[in-house]
Amino acid sequence: LKHRRVGGACRLTAAGAMAVPQVQTAESEDEFASVNSILLSSSLLVLIAIGYRINTHRLRHVPESGAAMALGFVLGIVVRVVGIVEEEQLLNFKGSLFFYVLLPPIIFEAGMSLETQMFVDNVGAIFAFAVVGTLISTWVTSSGLRIMAGIGGIGLDSSAPRLAIHCHLFGALISATDPVATISLFSGARFRADPLLHSLLNGESVLNDAVAIALFTTLTRHLDEENPSLFSFAVLSNFLFVSTASLILGLLAGGLCSWCFNRTKLLSNFPEYEISAMFLGAYLTFASSQLLGLSGIVALFFFGVVLAQYNYYNLSDRSKVA
């Protein structure tokens, strides 16, 4: 009996010893989450304060995007100098998080807030800048990289296999420009930009990201080729097919969603259902397009354009405000 009691005590002691590290781990994780919540909240409050001073003209010559990048750079330097390993792992940005969580709401909002009349009036020039301009920019960047690699001007091996396709990919990646600072400058009271120039810049900036991402996705399908040409029939035909099919899918999905809202009149009594259905329909369009091998960004953008044009009048007043 005594031996049994001693054995039971040993088992209890061992169980307690195993429970102590688990409790300490849970406490450390809770503390880590609290510290990150404070860091995130403080950073966003600082950005709000800086944005307020910029928009009230108390802080000049600094765009909001530049202030956000500077703040992120400083935070990254502090974390690296202090040597917080867990924080470094948390700050490691994952592409899937950006592409499937952060990017779709941005593209959907761009489509919903597009000035349709301006876009239609200058659709030819806008598509020329967005599509042809992106292709030319990609080609110039890729050719420049290969020329510099050939003369030893940059740290690239000119004899490396698949150098051409990787240069094309970098060119498509770097061609996704966002002229937010230029557009905000033209919109200000200090400069009176030509309305045509302003509309072209605004329309091109909306489509440029979607076109660049579609081109990048198309080029990834040619990674196994040794020296693919950017203007080859295979690349261009694949790019045009992906872009066109994605555009049609976005238009059809937006039309179907608007028709469903129009047929369900009683849905306006439930604004939370309206907003939820719109966002779920948008993400369903994005995910379906990605699953079919198309560009979810292009489909989502034109889904938002159709909803802004035809579904806005089907919404209740509370949903319109939201």
Side-chain angles (χ1 to χ4, degrees):
L1 181 61
K2 182 177 181 180
H3 175 72
R4 291 179 180 175
R5 288 179 178 177
V6 172
C10 291
R11 287 195 296 271
L12 289 174
T13 304
M18 294 176 61
V20 170
Q22 294 178 356
V23 173
Q24 293 177 349
T25 302
E27 291 179 353
S28 62
E29 290 178 354
D30 184 66
E31 181 180 355
F32 181 68
S34 300
V35 171
N36 280 283
S37 299
I38 294 173
L39 183 63
L40 177 61
S41 302
S42 302
S43 302
L44 293 177
L45 285 174
V46 170
L47 287 178
I48 290 174
I50 294 175
Y52 170 75
R53 297 186 66 86
I54 291 174
N55 290 313
T56 54
H57 306 289
R58 299 180 184 181
L59 183 62
R60 300 178 182 273
H61 311 298
V62 179
E64 292 186 58
S65 56
M69 289 189 293
L71 179 61
F73 180 78
V74 171
L75 289 176
I77 291 295
V78 171
V79 171
R80 179 61 62 88
V81 171
V82 174
I84 307 176
V85 179
E86 295 85 356
E87 194 69 32
E88 289 187 28
Q89 294 176 353
L90 180 66
L91 293 178
N92 285 336
F93 201 76
K94 296 182 179 180
S96 57
L97 173 66
F98 173 76
F99 196 76
Y100 287 97
V101 178
L102 301 180
L103 187 58
I106 297 174
I107 300 299
F108 183 56
E109 188 274 336
M112 289 287 293
S113 60
L114 179 69
E115 297 181 13
T116 310
Q117 189 60 46
M118 175 274 299
F119 186 84
V120 172
D121 291 342
N122 303 288
V123 64
I126 289 174
F127 269 94
F129 283 120
V131 179
V132 181
T134 301
L135 288 172
I136 294 175
S137 176
T138 302
W139 178 80
V140 170
T141 304
S142 176
S143 300
L145 285 174
R146 284 182 290 173
I147 292 173
M148 292 298 293
I151 63 177
I154 55 177
L156 290 177
D157 185 6
S158 59
S159 61
R162 301 183 182 86
L163 176 64
I165 186 61
H166 286 96
C167 290
H168 292 335
L169 286 171
F170 181 79
L173 178 68
I174 210 68
S175 297
T177 57
D178 191 5
V180 173
T182 305
I183 293 174
S184 62
L185 187 66
F186 285 173
S187 301
R190 295 177 57 191
F191 297 92
R192 294 182 179 179
D194 182 70
L196 177 60
L197 177 61
H198 186 274
S199 63
L200 289 177
L201 273 174
N202 195 14
E204 190 275 339
S205 66
V206 169
L207 279 180
N208 174 256
D209 292 344
V211 172
I213 292 173
L215 180 60
F216 185 91
T217 305
T218 301
L219 289 172
T220 56
R221 300 174 182 176
H222 299 270
L223 284 173
D224 295 332
E225 300 180 15
E226 286 293 334
N227 190 22
S229 174
L230 180 63
F231 296 106
S232 65
F233 177 77
V235 174
L236 287 181
S237 60
N238 195 358
F239 169 67
L240 291 176
F241 170 76
V242 169
S243 302
T244 305
S246 303
L247 186 150
I248 294 174
L249 178 62
L251 294 178
L252 291 177
L256 178 62
C257 183
S258 301
W259 180 81
C260 291
F261 270 79
N262 185 51
R263 298 293 294 178
T264 54
K265 297 295 184 181
L266 295 179
L267 190 61
S268 60
N269 297 326
F270 307 95
E272 62 276 10
Y273 292 165
E274 286 184 318
I275 298 174
S276 300
M278 286 179 58
F279 278 99
L280 290 175
Y283 200 84
L284 180 61
T285 302
F286 172 80
S288 300
S289 181
Q290 290 294 122
L291 182 63
L292 294 174
L294 304 176
S295 174
I297 300 302
V298 175
L300 182 59
F301 172 75
F302 284 99
F303 177 86
V305 171
V306 174
L307 257 64
Q309 184 69 18
Y310 296 104
N311 195 47
Y312 180 79
Y313 304 100
N314 298 326
L315 301 177
S316 61
D317 294 335
R318 291 176 58 186
S319 296
K320 291 178 182 178
V321 173

